[in-house]
Amino acid sequence: MQWPLPAAVLAIAWLAPGLALALQPSSGDSGPPPGSSQPPAPATQTPAPPAPSAAPPPAELEAGSPEGPVPPVSTQAVDVDALQRELRALRTRVDRAEQRLAAQEQRRNTDDLRAMPSTGFNQWTAGNAMATRLTFAISDDNLLAGAKDRSPAAGFKLAADRLFYDAIEQEKRGFETETQLVVYKRMPTFFKRMDAEAAFVTEIEQWHDGKTFQNYTQLSDDGSYGKLNFYTKRNDYTGDNVSLTMFPVDSQRFLLGYTYAVTWGGERMFPNNTGQTPGFRLRYDWNVGSGKDSYVFLGAKSARLLNEKLNEPQTYYSALAGFGIGFTPWLAWEVNGGYYQSGAFPMFSPNSKIGGKTVQTFGGSTRLTAHWGVPIGTSIDFQLFRYSPDASFLLTQNQIYDNRIAGSAAVEFTTVGQTLQKFEEPDTTRIQPAKAAAFLGKLRIKKLRLFANAIYRDLAFVVLSIPGVFPYQTFPKEAQVSPELWGSVGFDYYFERSKLTPGAVLAYKSPASIKVGDTTNVYREYWDQEVLPAGENPFDILSGKLTLKWDIAPFFVVVSELRYTLDNNRTKFVKASNESGRIRVFEDPNVTNRLGFFLLAQARW
């Protein structure tokens, strides 16, 4: 019978200590008992071994005991360290032999699969077909306000207001009820070192419109793609590779920038776009898996938008590029940028000289990241879908806890320029700059997680996708423009026995604003602005919340939040005292002081 190499080596490793002891000579006459002053007897055939330790031998059993007399105890010294080194060496040889056999078996399977291209392969195609969140919630946006103040009291609904520091690194908060329906496949091609994959990704989302009191279900594409991967060094479809990713319908997941709160270059870079935004990305990854992972990419997008001067749709393009270099396993630098044809200028007048010309947007982003230890989890939903090798789409990433310290810090800067109509000279254009920056810090000490975040966005960046406060126009010269600046700090702690994670967050925000004459507009987001009473200046916003997460099962979680926000920028219209019409005034304290809560149970699979 012929033994496989790993089994033979493992048998030798297992028997080695016993064989080493069995081959040692008897030490019964090799020297005096421990502690004796008598000199050792001269050697006759072989030199005497070193003296044993001074520990006394075990006592002999009494005569007549069932076990009988104790056999002579060997005082021969055994080099345990040498035997352990030999055993470790043998185990290393066994591991390497097993790895070689596994690689050979994988190559044989791959060759068989290439010979039968119509056959499926579980290693490549296994996985869930759906990623779903089902949410049940009871909430109240503002416990201090009533129906007349647009707060319909507690009900079985999700809190409508989204705080400015919610989900900094993702588009959604993660509490929505929605389904990602995926049809996915990946397998080797007919060509060596190349595999192909594709995912048909749709999003099914349900929501209630508080204005029309109607329920809606929306079905839309959410980043379907096809992808070809060519591996430059290995035959097992891993390691350094060149990949081509094609988005036939929606390329929203292909963005510029890194932290979602300051990303740009998505669908909104084509204003008034209601159609498809196809695109592609060509990328090369090297040093994969070495801790110094690096990449470079090129890409493009397009959209069809109405050109008012031509009175017909026209195709507009964008070009994107970037790279990332892993200097060490703990330090990486990334840069990306792009150029966009952001549609055409509208016809401001019948004789407009710039109407129909292309709006151009261009710029770049860079980030420096340092990290150590086990990654500190977060939810990210603006990258490629999770089945892709470089994907990080996770509904809720469960944190991995250990007894070590882990952390990360990232600093990001973005500068963008956009050609807009000069406010004072309607027939000319100028480049209006827009800037943004972000800092994300995370620290985990055993089961305690600490967070510190800061975001800067000037008003031009906030309204970049409109584009401009006054659409397609620069800021007036006399306008007083203020940027947005906010920061937040928080912590949470995981109790492993009860599976509870309580936490708290405090945040401060100075909102972006523009003042022209006596009128001041405050921008919480490009779609959420407030006009202040005449002559008033904007107020800073304070907010905080207490959170509690209870992991009941791997797929079932209960989350609750008690939140408070002081936002004195909220206004309303009231009837003027002189009966001349309505005037704008600040809201009552029970509205500007928002105290809300929600409690939800969510299943995810």
Side-chain angles (χ1 to χ4, degrees):
M1 170 177 163
Q2 183 177 2
W3 284 22
L5 177 59
V9 176
L10 187 61
I12 294 173
W14 182 71
L15 293 174
L19 291 174
L21 290 175
L23 293 176
Q24 294 291 342
S26 174
S27 58
D29 301 325
S30 59
S36 172
S37 61
Q38 181 181 354
T44 55
Q45 295 181 355
T46 59
S53 64
E60 297 183 357
L61 296 175
E62 296 180 0
S65 65
E67 290 81 358
V70 178
V73 178
S74 173
T75 58
Q76 175 72 30
V78 178
D79 192 347
V80 178
D81 292 338
L83 290 176
Q84 290 179 344
R85 287 195 296 271
E86 293 178 5
L87 182 57
R88 286 196 295 268
L90 289 170
R91 286 175 177 170
T92 301
R93 293 178 57 190
V94 171
D95 292 340
R96 291 176 178 175
E98 290 179 342
Q99 292 173 3
R100 288 196 299 270
L101 290 176
Q104 293 173 3
E105 182 68 19
Q106 186 173 11
R107 284 195 294 269
R108 283 196 296 269
N109 290 337
T110 301
D111 293 339
D112 294 341
L113 179 60
R114 187 175 287 113
M116 297 181 294
S118 61
T119 304
F121 189 21
N122 288 338
Q123 179 180 347
W124 298 81
T125 60
N128 296 327
M130 289 189 295
T132 301
R133 289 193 299 263
L134 177 64
T135 305
F136 173 83
I138 179 171
S139 67
D140 191 338
D141 298 346
N142 190 354
L143 293 167
L144 305 178
K148 68 175 183 178
D149 295 314
R150 294 169 288 179
S151 180
F156 296 105
K157 59 183 178 64
L158 190 64
D161 59 331
R162 170 172 171 157
L163 301 179
F164 56 88
Y165 52 90
D166 280 341
I168 302 170
E169 299 175 76
Q170 63 181 16
E171 180 182 7
K172 299 178 181 178
R173 296 186 60 203
F175 299 147
E176 300 81 5
T177 291
E178 65 176 15
T179 293
Q180 301 281 350
L181 176 62
V182 183
V183 180
Y184 174 82
K185 190 169 188 177
R186 179 186 174 205
M187 64 186 302
T189 65
F190 297 108
F191 305 98
K192 187 177 181 180
R193 293 186 178 180
M194 179 182 290
D195 66 48
E197 64 178 294
F200 179 72
V201 186
T202 59
E203 181 184 60
I204 306 172
E205 188 173 4
Q206 298 177 333
W207 78 95
H208 177 76
D209 191 326
K211 296 181 179 179
T212 63
F213 302 102
Q214 298 291 324
N215 293 321
Y216 293 93
T217 299
Q218 177 175 302
L219 176 66
S220 59
D221 184 272
D222 197 31
S224 298
Y225 68 90
K227 191 177 182 185
L228 297 175
N229 306 296
F230 176 75
Y231 299 89
T232 58
K233 296 182 179 180
R234 302 180 56 148
N235 296 325
D236 58 355
Y237 304 99
T238 60
D240 298 2
N241 68 88
V242 178
S243 62
L244 175 64
T245 306
M246 298 159 283
F247 302 93
V249 180
D250 181 6
S251 57
Q252 174 64 16
R253 296 187 183 278
F254 185 16
L255 295 175
L256 297 173
Y258 306 94
T259 305
Y260 189 81
V262 294
T263 54
W264 61 288
E267 293 176 343
R268 295 196 302 270
M269 293 308 299
F270 300 102
N272 305 315
N273 176 36
T274 58
Q276 299 179 351
T277 312
F280 76 90
R281 184 190 69 180
L282 180 65
R283 172 166 165 159
Y284 172 52
D285 290 81
W286 72 94
N287 291 338
V288 175
S290 67
K292 300 180 181 180
D293 299 47
S294 304
Y295 67 88
V296 61
F297 74 84
L298 295 172
K301 300 182 181 183
S302 71
R304 289 179 61 81
L305 307 174
L306 177 65
N307 187 317
E308 291 185 6
K309 185 173 183 179
L310 302 177
N311 197 27
E312 63 180 35
Q314 188 174 356
T315 301
Y316 296 90
Y317 293 93
S318 67
L320 302 82
F323 66 87
I325 299 176
F327 295 110
T328 69
W330 55 270
L331 182 65
W333 177 46
E334 297 171 276
V335 177
N336 61 35
Y339 167 82
Y340 283 77
Q341 296 177 332
S342 299
F345 282 102
M347 296 297 294
F348 297 100
S349 66
N351 298 321
S352 175
K353 294 183 179 180
I354 65 172
K357 291 185 177 181
T358 300
V359 178
Q360 302 177 70
T361 306
F362 51 90
S365 302
T366 183
R367 179 174 70 169
L368 187 66
T369 305
H371 56 87
W372 62 95
V374 176
I376 302 177
T378 185
S379 297
I380 304 175
D381 69 356
F382 62 90
Q383 299 185 9
L384 291 177
F385 201 70
R386 64 177 181 172
Y387 291 108
S388 175
D390 56 358
S392 296
F393 184 92
L394 301 173
L395 300 179
T396 302
Q397 179 178 347
N398 293 325
Q399 175 67 59
I400 299 175
Y401 292 95
D402 57 21
N403 291 324
R404 299 180 181 179
I405 296 177
S408 66
V411 181
E412 175 179 351
F413 298 95
T414 294
T415 299
V416 180
Q418 193 171 52
T419 58
L420 298 176
Q421 180 192 46
K422 195 171 182 179
F423 189 86
E424 292 77 14
E425 300 176 25
D427 291 331
T428 60
T429 62
R430 67 180 291 267
I431 298 176
Q432 180 167 278
K435 298 179 181 180
F439 168 80
L440 272 68
K442 304 176 185 179
L443 178 65
R444 181 180 56 79
I445 305 173
K446 296 184 178 180
K447 295 178 175 59
L448 174 67
R449 301 194 305 175
L450 305 172
F451 303 90
N453 305 307
I455 299 291
Y456 169 89
R457 299 188 302 173
D458 64 17
L459 182 57
F461 191 89
V462 173
V463 297
L464 185 66
S465 59
I466 293 180
V469 168
F470 307 100
Y472 296 94
Q473 294 181 315
T474 62
F475 300 137
K477 286 184 178 180
E478 70 273 15
Q480 300 177 26
V481 182
S482 299
E484 170 189 284
L485 177 63
W486 64 264
S488 66
V489 293
F491 77 92
D492 60 42
Y493 188 88
Y494 176 65
F495 292 92
E496 186 173 6
R497 186 180 184 86
S498 61
K499 306 299 182 184
L500 289 172
T501 307
V505 180
L506 291 175
Y508 161 87
K509 180 177 182 178
S510 176
S513 64
I514 179 172
K515 185 175 183 179
V516 180
D518 289 337
T519 303
T520 301
N521 284 41
V522 174
Y523 283 80
R524 301 183 186 92
E525 279 294 342
Y526 74 95
W527 43 265
D528 184 8
Q529 62 169 306
E530 196 94 36
V531 180
L532 302 185
E536 297 290 347
N537 294 318
F539 293 90
D540 294 341
I541 302 173
L542 299 176
S543 184
K545 63 181 178 179
L546 300 175
T547 64
L548 181 63
K549 178 184 175 185
W550 184 22
D551 291 293
I552 297 179
F555 76 102
F556 202 95
V557 65
V558 175
V559 178
S560 64
E561 286 188 2
L562 179 65
R563 47 176 55 197
Y564 170 77
T565 301
L566 174 61
D567 184 358
N568 287 321
N569 298 298
R570 296 185 179 276
T571 63
K572 63 180 178 179
F573 282 109
V574 298
K575 190 175 182 179
S577 58
N578 58 5
E579 303 293 333
S580 61
R582 298 196 304 166
I583 60 174
R584 187 180 291 272
V585 297
F586 288 112
E587 278 279 10
D588 298 331
N590 63 335
V591 176
T592 57
N593 291 268
R594 299 178 64 85
L595 178 65
F597 82 96
F598 73 79
L599 173 68
L600 65 85
Q602 183 180 89
R604 54 185 187 269
W605 61 91

